[in-house]
Amino acid sequence: MRAASAFSALALTLLLAVPAFAQSEEAVFERIETIQGDAEGFGEAFATLQEAFLVGDPAQTLADLANYPFEIAANGELYDIFAPEDLVDNFDRLISEDTRSALASQDYADLIVTSEGVGFGDGVLWMANICTDESCDETYWAITRITN
């Protein structure tokens, strides 16, 4: 009986050691589809963002994917970004190296999915599925906040 209790305790410890965010890409896709909608559209935006940080122009890509106006928390301050050029012209000051690294190495299976949107890098960047009108028949994915 003691061996069974010890085994049960060990099994429980091992289960608890698995990170809470461990999930499959399929589970993340389904969660995005259920909570935000248009998971395929998000996948396209995700690929565009990752490609930009790996081999493209991340400043312009972030600017192109943003929903204006939005906020960036950086350098202990909160900045209101009103237009793409605000982000592009100040990219090096507004987007930290840690944030750039987190975005470049983001794994789809580790995304955060909530009713507020999809979070990258433990919440350094948030995207949401934005409705184009009251009926919400058409939507697009956009960056809504960056927090360095």
Side-chain angles (χ1 to χ4, degrees):
M1 189 68 156
R2 283 188 129 177
S5 293
F7 179 75
S8 294
L10 177 61
L12 181 59
T13 301
L14 290 174
L15 283 174
L16 294 175
V18 175
F21 59 84
Q23 53 196 342
S24 70
E25 290 184 6
E26 293 81 14
V28 171
F29 181 92
E30 288 301 319
R31 190 162 163 80
I32 292 169
E33 187 65 37
T34 300
I35 296 173
Q36 288 283 317
D38 190 21
E40 284 187 30
F42 173 79
E44 293 170 14
F46 178 83
T48 298
L49 192 60
Q50 280 217 307
E51 182 178 330
F53 275 92
L54 294 172
V55 296
D57 183 352
Q60 188 60 55
T61 301
L62 282 178
D64 291 345
L65 287 173
N67 185 49
Y68 296 93
F70 76 106
E71 295 178 331
I72 295 179
N75 311 310
E77 307 228 7
L78 193 58
Y79 299 90
D80 291 317
I81 308 300
F82 294 102
E85 58 272 8
D86 295 338
L87 179 54
V88 172
D89 293 347
N90 298 292
F91 181 78
D92 291 332
R93 286 187 318 128
L94 294 174
I95 310 299
S96 72
E97 284 297 325
D98 288 344
T99 296
R100 293 177 208 184
S101 177
L103 295 173
S105 64
Q106 178 66 53
D107 184 27
Y108 191 91
D110 293 333
L111 292 165
I112 303 164
V113 183
T114 72
S115 61
E116 297 297 312
V118 178
F120 292 66
D122 293 328
V124 297
L125 181 141
W126 286 89
M127 293 186 83
N129 194 12
I130 309 292
C131 296
T132 59
D133 59 21
E134 291 286 324
S135 68
C136 206
D137 289 334
E138 291 186 32
T139 64
Y140 64 96
W141 281 94
I143 296 168
T144 56
R145 182 168 175 85
I146 299 173
T147 305
N148 289 277

